[in-house]
Amino acid sequence: MSPPLNSDTSKTPRYTLPDTAMRRRFRRRLLGWYGKHARDLPWRHTRDPYRILVSEMMLQQTQVDRVLPKYEEWIQKYPSLKALASARPADVVRTWRPLGYNARPRRLHSIAREVMSQYGGELPSDEPTLRSFKGIGAYTAGAVQSFAFGRRAAIVDTNVARVLFRVFVGRGDRKSSLLKKHLWSLSAALLPRRNVFDFNQALMDIGATVCVARRPRCPDCPMSPICAAYPFDPDLEHGS
DNA sequence: CTCCTGTTTA
DNA sequence: TAAACAGGAG
């Protein structure tokens, strides 16, 4: 009996999905934590697809505290897709200031116009159509689907990627394309049937406030008992 | 997959 | 000033 020829010597991680018990523990811990520590953000009080889209496109590039006042101003000035669609491009870009990345307000504006002219003023809810808009990629499509339409859609942004990587992978290469695929699979596998909205918001929240990139606050983290990266050692997560 | 864009950080 | 970042485009 020779040893298995293909026994990888722990060099290549095998990306396996957690079983149902593990998924359940993760969800319970996450939602329990969220019940106590959720941040109160204005875009969590709406299911308006337009408002969700505005907040997500702003948050793609800018931290929450800078987005907050601009989001309010924006919604005042352009309360609906229709209002935005009829605005002049120069005004739209000016209103966006000083958030920067001016391609994004232009894309948001063109989405508004396209939705008015091609989709009867209603933002579509299906993935392929959402992704057909310039400015909506995998992350934003998932966010809009789950936050605005309550669909069971996964999200992976950098916060979520970091959390899932640490809890379920723990160490190794942070930027292989296989890993990225795996994180999307994980995010989808973990999604509860109900509470999709809260679950996805909670995932991002814990990554933004506890499981942060540098000096994660493991003592405050509900995941530490089940976390593959605990106790945290920064040297164990790196590229290549 | 590589490249792109402004912004932020080393 | 170079490199990292973050999500998207091609």
Side-chain angles (χ1 to χ4, degrees):
Chain A
M1 299 301 126
S2 46
L5 290 172
N6 220 8
S7 62
D8 68 313
T9 56
S10 79
K11 199 67 172 185
T12 8
R14 52 247 174 272
Y15 292 130
T16 61
L17 262 18
D19 63 17
T20 53
M22 185 65 204
R23 298 203 288 266
R24 187 149 166 272
R25 278 195 284 167
F26 181 88
R27 287 184 203 118
R28 288 168 71 94
R29 285 179 176 277
L30 182 66
L31 289 170
W33 172 87
Y34 187 68
K36 294 180 195 126
H37 296 97
R39 292 177 295 178
D40 184 25
L41 303 171
W43 44 88
R44 289 181 177 172
H45 300 307
T46 183
R47 306 281 153 125
D48 177 0
Y50 166 67
R51 295 188 182 212
I52 299 291
L53 181 62
V54 170
S55 66
E56 291 303 334
M57 291 193 66
M58 287 183 173
L59 289 163
Q60 280 177 18
Q61 56 179 67
T62 311
Q63 292 184 327
V64 167
D65 44 348
R66 282 188 70 209
V67 165
L68 281 169
K70 184 55 68 179
Y71 172 80
E72 301 294 357
E73 181 193 342
W74 189 275
I75 295 302
Q76 287 294 320
K77 189 159 182 182
Y78 311 119
S80 64
L81 226 31
K82 188 177 177 185
L84 179 58
S86 56
R88 296 192 7 256
D91 290 332
V92 171
V93 172
R94 202 175 315 123
T95 305
W96 190 265
R97 278 196 317 213
L99 295 187
Y101 296 91
N102 289 336
R104 289 185 171 129
R106 287 197 192 94
R107 283 170 181 165
L108 182 55
H109 191 210
S110 72
I111 291 168
R113 291 191 161 180
E114 196 175 338
V115 169
M116 292 310 295
S117 65
Q118 306 298 132
Y119 298 95
E122 301 285 338
L123 191 70
S125 62
D126 64 289
E127 168 106 21
T129 312
L130 285 171
R131 296 222 23 194
S132 75
F133 294 104
K134 287 186 167 74
I136 300 184
Y139 166 72
T140 306
V144 168
Q145 286 179 91
S146 65
F147 298 144
F149 299 109
R151 297 173 65 128
R152 213 157 155 263
I155 52 164
V156 178
D157 70 355
T158 55
N159 287 320
V160 174
R162 187 172 55 251
V163 171
L164 297 181
F165 174 80
R166 285 178 178 162
V167 174
F168 293 103
V169 182
R171 62 206 61 225
D173 182 4
R174 279 300 306 283
K175 49 190 161 213
S176 79
S177 72
L178 266 102
L179 173 63
K180 263 168 200 155
K181 269 195 178 66
H182 178 59
L183 295 177
W184 276 96
S185 305
L186 266 174
S187 187
L190 292 165
L191 267 179
R193 279 180 299 250
R194 302 181 177 74
N195 295 328
V196 175
F197 185 102
D198 285 347
F199 179 86
N200 279 347
Q201 292 285 353
L203 256 188
M204 295 197 288
D205 243 25
I206 202 168
T209 63
V210 176
C211 194
V212 293
R214 291 166 350 207
R215 296 170 173 273
R217 308 147 92 120
C218 301
D220 301 332
C221 184
M223 298 305 170
S224 57
I226 63 168
C227 180
Y230 184 82
F232 181 71
D233 175 355
D235 296 338
L236 292 181
E237 59 181 41
H238 266 139
S240 185

